[in-house]
Amino acid sequence: SQTIHQWPATLVQPVGSPLSLECTVEGTSNPNLYWYRQAAGRGLQLLFYSVGIGQISSEVPQNLSASRPQDRQFILSSKKLLLSDSGFYLCAWRRQQNTEAFFGQGTRLTVV
Amino acid sequence: SQQGEEDPQALSIQEGENATMNCSYKTSINNLQWYRQNSGRGLVHLILIRSNEREKHSGRLRVTLDTSKKSSSLLITASRAADTASYFCATDPRSNYKLTFGIGTLLTVNP
């Protein structure tokens, strides 16, 4: 069966520090991968998605970047965090277009 | 920008009542999906309805899709306190691999 791992679950980082959030999927190959951010009490904002190794589509110009160094690994990064980067970050995967998505448990990031 | 727009944003009902949530969208879609999120957790997929389908059932869930009006509804029948959660629609467009979510409906079912 397929599983998705996202870590850490919570993170408190000072302004100006770097960020690296990792997401890995097991039990499937060549998944479509997604990073979303959710502000408190709000909907999901699509940040990045990837349909293959090294292929990253960015949805919103911002202080973040994403990379897919391996088929089932998706990394969200920042060189210098801003207060506005605080939020709940969710990674998701799906087999292909026109199928359901499976989500990780999320990372609660607080920038102080 | 968010494609799905759920309505209402918050809904409070008594156990046993039915809950109806609506979703409107703007682009051509392959399918529309509904998800549930418990507070502070990841989203869980509930149901997927394809663009050539008009209605779909899964247990106590009933989803309708009207592509001419670009709208969908999720009905939860005989609600339970455990149904308390946020519910999101997501659009899967024809033109790309994005899966775009709306702002969600917070459903509270009072025992």
Side-chain angles (χ1 to χ4, degrees), chain A residues 32 34 36 38 41-46 49 51 59 88 90 94 97-101 103-105 108, chain B residues 2 30-31 33 35 37 40-43 45 48 50 88 92-94 96-103:
Chain A
N32 294 167
Y34 300 82
Y36 293 90
Q38 186 177 31
R42 302 296 298 275
L44 276 69
Q45 180 186 34
L46 178 60
Y49 65 97
V51 299
E59 281 301 288
F88 191 49
L90 290 157
R94 58 177 180 165
Q97 195 180 22
N98 219 11
T99 61
E100 66 198 270
F103 280 79
Q105 288 303 301
R108 176 78 55 193
Chain B
Q2 296 294 329
N30 280 323
N31 65 74
Q33 305 179 28
Y35 290 77
Q37 182 185 34
R41 307 298 296 270
L43 279 71
H45 179 263
L48 182 154
R50 303 196 185 281
F88 295 87
D92 194 355
R94 294 184 187 281
N96 55 58
Y97 290 86
K98 301 178 191 179
L99 186 63
T100 308
F101 288 77
I103 59 174

Side-chain angles (χ1 to χ4, degrees), chain A residues 21-39:
Chain A
L21 301 181
E22 189 164 342
C23 173
T24 61
V25 180
E26 295 178 355
T28 189
S29 60
N30 198 31
N32 294 167
L33 296 170
Y34 300 82
W35 277 112
Y36 293 90
R37 177 170 60 200
Q38 186 177 31

Side-chain angles (χ1 to χ4, degrees), chain A residues 8-86:
Chain A
T10 59
L11 192 58
V12 180
Q13 291 285 97
V15 169
S17 64
L19 173 73
S20 180
L21 301 181
E22 189 164 342
C23 173
T24 61
V25 180
E26 295 178 355
T28 189
S29 60
N30 198 31
N32 294 167
L33 296 170
Y34 300 82
W35 277 112
Y36 293 90
R37 177 170 60 200
Q38 186 177 31
R42 302 296 298 275
L44 276 69
Q45 180 186 34
L46 178 60
L47 301 176
F48 301 94
Y49 65 97
S50 172
V51 299
I53 295 175
Q55 298 179 51
I56 309 293
S57 296
S58 174
E59 281 301 288
V60 183
Q62 57 204 334
N63 189 39
L64 301 170
S65 62
S67 62
R68 184 171 177 173
Q70 299 181 46
D71 182 42
R72 291 170 291 171
Q73 184 184 31
F74 205 22
I75 298 173
L76 183 69
S77 304
S78 173
K79 293 182 180 178
K80 290 186 178 181
L81 284 169
L82 306 172
L83 287 174
S84 57
D85 292 324
S86 294

Side-chain angles (χ1 to χ4, degrees), chain B residues 48-66:
Chain B
L48 182 154
I49 184 165
R50 303 196 185 281
S51 60
N52 61 353
E53 297 175 310
R54 292 297 167 258
E55 187 171 313
K56 202 163 184 179
H57 298 255
S58 177
R60 293 184 296 112
L61 305 181
R62 172 179 170 255
V63 168
T64 63
L65 179 65
D66 186 334

Side-chain angles (χ1 to χ4, degrees), chain B residues 26-91:
Chain B
K26 296 177 182 176
T27 60
S28 295
I29 58 172
N30 280 323
N31 65 74
L32 187 141
Q33 305 179 28
W34 285 91
Y35 290 77
R36 167 192 168 126
Q37 182 185 34
N38 287 348
S39 181
R41 307 298 296 270
L43 279 71
V44 175
H45 179 263
L46 295 175
I47 198 164
L48 182 154
I49 184 165
R50 303 196 185 281
S51 60
N52 61 353
E53 297 175 310
R54 292 297 167 258
E55 187 171 313
K56 202 163 184 179
H57 298 255
S58 177
R60 293 184 296 112
L61 305 181
R62 172 179 170 255
V63 168
T64 63
L65 179 65
D66 186 334
T67 53
S68 66
K69 295 181 179 178
K70 289 187 166 56
S71 67
S72 174
S73 67
L74 170 67
L75 168 67
I76 303 175
T77 59
S79 64
R80 306 165 181 168
D83 294 329
T84 295
S86 291
Y87 292 83
F88 295 87
C89 69
T91 52

